[in-house]
Amino acid sequence: MKSENVNEGRFTPPDIARAVRGMIVSGELRPGDHLSTIDLAARFCVSRGPVREALRLLESRALVRILPRKGAFVNSLQDDEVGVTMEAREFIFAAMAELAAQRISRSQLADLRRELQQLARLAAAPATTPNEFKLATYAFVSVLYGAARNPRLHQIIRDLSEGVGHAFGHLSMATQEMRQAEYEAYRLLTNAVTDRDPRRAGDLARRMHAAGVARATQLQAAIPQAVIEFKGKRRRSGRSEPRTQPVL
Amino acid sequence: MKSENVNEGRFTPPDIARAVRGMIVSGELRPGDHLSTIDLAARFCVSRGPVREALRLLESRALVRILPRKGAFVNSLQDDEVGVTMEAREFIFAAMAELAAQRISRSQLADLRRELQQLARLAAAPATTPNEFKLATYAFVSVLYGAARNPRLHQIIRDLSEGVGHAFGHLSMATQEMRQAEYEAYRLLTNAVTDRDPRRAGDLARRMHAAGVARATQLQAAIPQAVIEFKGKRRRSGRSEPRTQPVL
DNA sequence: TGTTTGTTTATTGCAGACAGATTTGTACGA
DNA sequence: TCGTACAAATCTGTCTGCAATAAACAAACA
């Protein structure tokens, strides 16, 4: 009988980091929230050491910000950081589309078309919620990203999306008109990928990404701030606002 | 008189991460090397806790790999990972050139041309070492990256370059012919940026990056492995080869 | 001589403890 | 009532100690 690993069933720092990341991207933790090492240690039944390591991992992914002697906070992107992040995402998204058009397999192409059909159904249905549509677009781009076959770029765009996607991504799919416009863009992109036309796919991806950002920004400027804030209690404006910057 | 911070003059985890990163990118630590928490703690006069946090930071930057119960190792990229990394870098590099062509300021343009002149001098001089030329290209692209005004992409390309640049970057500048070809590419790129032609700058950047990678790959395939290895003792082939993969 | 097994040592990973700093709560005075 | 000063409590950051594991070494055996 080989000795059981003592860490069996125990949360390691990467486990904790994954879990906290999930809490952040799901909205359970909101930007600016304080991450107490004591609370997290208690929640995961470990000591504060592994929690600190997990927070360091999330720090270098720009999901949390650690202020000396203050602790860790869920990172809230400033407006200008949203801009540069979306700009970066535009380039990477275009790269993924271009690569996918070069490399997508038969079965992946079938998957992509299946996800596109789902998007078509949701775009046509007035009762579709923004969240439903957003999840469907996630499924679509996941197939696309896999088809690009570059895990490095895949991780980069995932990181970029996490930082900004969940408060912002909704906005470009708020109305049915927007969802139909999004679907149309995805349809054209799928056609370019089907035709294995990297140039066209890349250009389309870039334009559709920029258009989505523009729609979301317009909407964000148009509607009252309260609608953008997460439901529930508002953030105190005087709260210390950690800024994203290189960790190293 | 406000109380002095007790951490004054003490190495914090980010400090340690920066220092270790410097040791890695400078070649003082080589891929596959074991990073002992005890040794590092002694070197920085701290306990092993902060060292562990620093290693976690480097882990998520793909500079080190932490194997459970084995410790931290300087990450050595597999051949296929070099490929995807250079591919990713090609896209980002093109993006930076495109953005720089849009946004470069007068003074930055002057800086860029100054760095280009330095490259011209070094490319013309037969006695130039690959390292000299490499450092000059660093200076050039640093100006370019700054002109792009997207800190997010800047950090991304810096991370991508660190992982692969120092063993690989030399190779595309090994001979004077290569350096002259590199210089010519930089000259054309500078012209495109000067003309504020983002499209041309981006296309040029992409082609020159791909050409550089092709040159380096050719050279790597042509010359004996011993020349590529760092000088000094060879890596034992049986050593555990940590692979890069998403940390979270 | 080569292989396998047992032992010893070194290191990792984590829990707990300690010093310092920040924050919170309270009492006091204007 | 509001602001300030002080004190207690809380939390962060680090250090030390301990259990568990992996590597290195030595001895026994084929």
Side-chain angles (χ1 to χ4, degrees):
Chain A
M1 174 71 80
K2 67 177 191 301
S3 66
E4 281 300 318
N5 190 334
V6 71
N7 271 11
E8 204 65 39
R10 195 180 216 144
F11 287 105
T12 67
D15 293 333
I16 299 167
R18 266 187 292 269
V20 174
R21 187 190 74 154
M23 289 191 265
I24 292 174
V25 299
S26 73
E28 181 181 345
L29 293 169
R30 293 172 309 129
D33 278 356
H34 179 74
L35 295 169
S36 161
T37 58
I38 295 178
D39 294 348
L40 289 173
R43 160 136 31 165
F44 292 102
C45 302
V46 293
S47 136
R48 292 185 319 135
V51 170
R52 283 185 62 84
E53 293 180 32
L55 292 175
R56 289 293 184 189
L57 284 173
L58 296 172
E59 181 191 26
S60 59
R61 301 284 281 264
L63 279 168
V64 312
R65 179 136 165 68
I66 296 178
L67 303 175
R69 287 284 168 198
K70 294 284 191 68
F73 300 83
V74 179
N75 207 341
S76 58
L77 267 52
Q78 307 299 96
D79 288 348
D80 57 338
E81 289 177 339
V82 172
V84 300
T85 301
M86 293 314 272
E87 182 175 86
R89 212 170 92 108
E90 179 182 313
F91 283 103
I92 315 286
F93 185 61
M96 295 305 261
E98 185 179 325
L99 291 175
Q102 287 174 26
R103 301 176 179 167
I104 195 166
S105 70
R106 281 281 167 84
S107 69
Q108 283 174 321
L109 199 52
D111 293 344
L112 198 69
R113 303 201 77 90
R114 192 157 36 240
E115 300 298 342
L116 182 71
Q117 285 175 5
Q118 175 67 5
L119 280 173
R121 275 192 292 274
L122 291 173
T128 300
T129 67
N131 197 48
E132 276 178 317
F133 197 81
K134 190 184 69 173
L135 290 176
T137 63
Y138 281 3
F140 180 93
V141 298
S142 289
V143 175
L144 191 77
Y145 295 165
R149 297 183 205 286
N150 189 313
R152 208 115 207 172
L153 285 170
H154 196 156
Q155 183 180 351
I156 289 171
I157 199 168
R158 199 187 307 126
D159 289 349
L160 288 173
S161 304
E162 276 173 2
V164 83
H166 291 263
F168 203 74
H170 266 93
L171 289 176
S172 64
M173 309 159 192
T175 70
Q176 191 178 11
E177 291 73 36
M178 286 179 165
R179 293 193 285 274
Q180 282 169 335
E182 284 279 328
Y183 161 69
E184 178 62 14
Y186 281 118
R187 192 181 66 80
L188 293 175
L189 179 60
T190 303
N191 286 343
V193 172
T194 304
D195 297 343
R196 301 189 176 279
D197 188 337
R199 185 97 188 194
R200 182 154 55 99
D203 288 347
L204 272 171
R206 224 176 132 173
R207 283 208 300 274
M208 69 184 273
H209 192 280
V213 171
R215 279 200 299 275
T217 306
Q218 267 187 327
L219 192 62
Q220 190 172 35
I223 63 182
Q225 190 65 14
V227 181
I228 296 176
E229 295 280 352
F230 287 84
K231 65 178 184 296
K233 64 179 189 294
R234 293 277 283 281
R235 289 213 310 264
R236 290 196 298 273
S237 58
R239 165 177 297 178
S240 72
E241 284 287 344
R243 289 184 64 87
T244 304
Q245 60 185 17
V247 176
L248 301 185
Chain B
M1 177 67 79
K2 68 179 190 298
S3 66
E4 281 299 316
N5 191 334
V6 71
N7 271 10
E8 203 65 40
R10 195 181 213 143
F11 288 105
T12 67
D15 294 332
I16 300 167
R18 265 187 293 269
V20 175
R21 187 190 76 154
M23 289 191 260
I24 292 174
V25 300
S26 72
E28 181 180 346
L29 293 168
R30 295 172 306 131
D33 278 357
H34 179 74
L35 295 169
S36 161
T37 58
I38 296 177
D39 293 348
L40 288 174
R43 161 137 28 168
F44 292 101
C45 302
V46 295
S47 122
R48 288 171 35 230
V51 171
R52 284 184 61 84
E53 293 180 31
L55 293 175
R56 288 293 185 191
L57 283 173
L58 296 173
E59 182 191 25
S60 59
R61 300 283 280 265
L63 279 169
V64 311
R65 177 137 167 64
I66 296 178
L67 303 176
R69 289 282 169 198
K70 294 280 197 69
F73 300 83
V74 179
N75 207 342
S76 58
L77 266 54
Q78 307 299 96
D79 288 349
D80 57 338
E81 290 178 338
V82 172
V84 300
T85 301
M86 293 313 271
E87 183 175 87
R89 212 171 93 106
E90 179 181 314
F91 283 104
I92 315 288
F93 185 61
M96 296 304 261
E98 185 178 325
L99 291 175
Q102 288 175 25
R103 300 177 181 169
I104 194 166
S105 71
R106 280 281 167 87
S107 70
Q108 284 174 320
L109 198 51
D111 292 343
L112 198 69
R113 303 202 76 90
R114 193 157 34 242
E115 299 299 341
L116 182 71
Q117 284 174 6
Q118 174 67 6
L119 280 173
R121 275 192 293 275
L122 291 174
T128 301
T129 66
N131 196 49
E132 277 179 316
F133 196 80
K134 191 184 69 176
L135 290 176
T137 64
Y138 281 3
F140 180 94
V141 298
S142 289
V143 175
L144 190 77
Y145 297 165
R149 296 182 206 286
N150 188 312
R152 208 116 207 170
L153 285 171
H154 197 155
Q155 183 179 352
I156 289 172
I157 199 168
R158 199 187 308 125
D159 288 350
L160 288 174
S161 303
E162 275 173 2
V164 83
H166 290 263
F168 204 75
H170 267 92
L171 289 175
S172 65
M173 308 161 192
T175 70
Q176 190 178 9
E177 290 74 38
M178 285 179 165
R179 292 193 285 274
Q180 281 169 335
E182 284 279 329
Y183 161 69
E184 177 63 14
Y186 281 118
R187 192 181 65 82
L188 293 175
L189 180 59
T190 304
N191 286 342
V193 172
T194 304
D195 297 344
R196 301 190 176 278
D197 187 337
R199 185 97 188 193
R200 183 155 56 100
D203 289 348
L204 272 172
R206 224 175 131 173
R207 283 209 299 276
M208 69 185 271
H209 192 280
V213 171
R215 279 199 300 277
T217 305
Q218 265 187 328
L219 193 63
Q220 189 170 37
I223 63 181
Q225 190 66 13
V227 181
I228 296 175
E229 296 279 354
F230 287 86
K231 65 177 183 298
K233 65 178 189 294
R234 294 276 284 283
R235 289 214 312 266
R236 288 198 299 277
S237 59
R239 167 176 295 176
S240 71
E241 284 287 345
R243 289 183 65 88
T244 304
Q245 60 187 17
V247 176
L248 302 185

